Amino acid sequence: MTRRSVVVGHGAYLPEKILTNNDISKFIDTSDEWIAGRTGIRERHIAAEGELTSHLATKAAEQALARAGMTGADIDVIVLGTTTPDETFPAAATKVQMAIGADHAFAFDVQAACSGFVYALAMADNFIRLGQARNALVIGAETFSRLLDWNDRTTCVLFGDGAGAVVLRAEEGNGTSDDRGILSTHLHSDGRQHDLLYADGGPSLNQQAGVVRMQGQEVFRHAVTRLSGVLHEALEANGLAPEDVDWLVPHQANRRILESTAKKLGLPIEKMVVTVDKHANTSAASIPLALAQAVDDGRIKRGDLVLMEAMGAGFTWAAAAVRW
Ligand code: ACO
């Protein structure tokens, strides 16, 4: 028997305010045509004043717990992927813990930029498989709009705010790719690419949060190669082929990156879940938000093979193969 982490609940939360490309074009020199043409993004949600990452995360977590038929008291570990925590410390995950009454859980944040959700999922899966936790809450949540220079049209049009969550429960499987649950996770980093994507602030650097600085074309080039590579790695690890994949749930950065990655994998575009048009890039929140949408509208069903992939600053990149 093999211990597996099975997804038993999912949740999502998007702030009420929607900012369209046309709205942005009223205060900087850009257009809906340019943004949508280059990225596929048409609008994004923006957190209200006083609405923090932990608030978004808590709302998504509450929905995931309700769908799992659990309360906070059932959770052993909370792992929150975020690049925009409420404060430099403590971890925003501990605020979620308090809000949901997960009194006996241990809780911490993971900082892996846009790969944060897959990293968080991998960590929770490892705790479950080692027997250190039975039920885990994994969240990706961001108020990324607060890390943007709203005068820099090359970056501010790309990002948005939101949160998504899943509840994992330990179950016994046979150790084959037919088992329900997380089949494998694959994590990578390469610090040599720091200068291509980073925030120009931090507590140690200058006591500021900073704003996003990016060399977009270089990021794009690396993203397509690394993402198709890590997806092949996930398939090979489980003795699976692209034809076995029911759904690809990618990190939502840019529609052109998504399409190139699917093409490189030989996967029809229809098998890819796309939310970048409505959410823009919500960093660590984008995969669980896309998952929630595809489960809610009936696309992802029990037994489906779901591949997730992400790449972000660091660089970090990662994939997970999950039998839903
Ligand atoms: N509106 C209008 N014009 C713009 C805008 C804008 N918002 N932004 C840039 N431009 C202009 C530039 O100034 C440039 O003008 P110029 O030719 O007169 O100098 C022109 O458009 C072309 O700029 P490029 O940077 O060459 O445009 P490109 O086709 O590379 O698209 C983009 C830029 C969309 C950022 C693209 O490189 C990209 O998506 N890269 C991936 C970055 C990414 O997704 N990062 C997210 C984090 S990492 C991740 O999640 C994978």
Side-chain angles (χ1 to χ4, degrees), residues 24 28-31 34-35 38-39 114-115 144 152-159 197 212 214-221 223 227 251-257 281 283 310-313 315:
I24 296 181
I28 50 164
D29 180 16
T30 189
S31 63
W34 192 96
I35 302 169
R38 302 272 177 144
T39 70
C114 297
S115 311
F144 218 88
D152 176 6
R153 67 177 184 172
T154 67
T155 52
C156 77
V157 301
L158 301 175
F159 297 90
L197 181 57
V212 174
M214 180 177 72
Q215 293 178 38
Q217 278 189 7
E218 281 300 300
V219 173
F220 193 107
R221 196 171 60 78
L227 291 172
H251 164 54
Q252 311 282 321
N254 177 320
R255 192 173 176 109
R256 290 186 298 142
I257 295 180
N281 181 345
S283 187
M311 194 196 103
F315 284 154

Side-chain angles (χ1 to χ4, degrees), residues 18-24 31-37 39-45 157-158 255 275-281:
I18 293 173
L19 189 70
T20 66
N21 292 346
N22 283 328
D23 294 334
I24 296 181
S31 63
D32 178 52
E33 193 189 1
W34 192 96
I35 302 169
T39 70
I41 297 166
R42 293 216 169 262
E43 57 189 44
R44 71 284 293 142
H45 291 250
V157 301
L158 301 175
R255 192 173 176 109
T275 54
V276 70
D277 53 334
K278 298 275 186 202
H279 302 169
N281 181 345

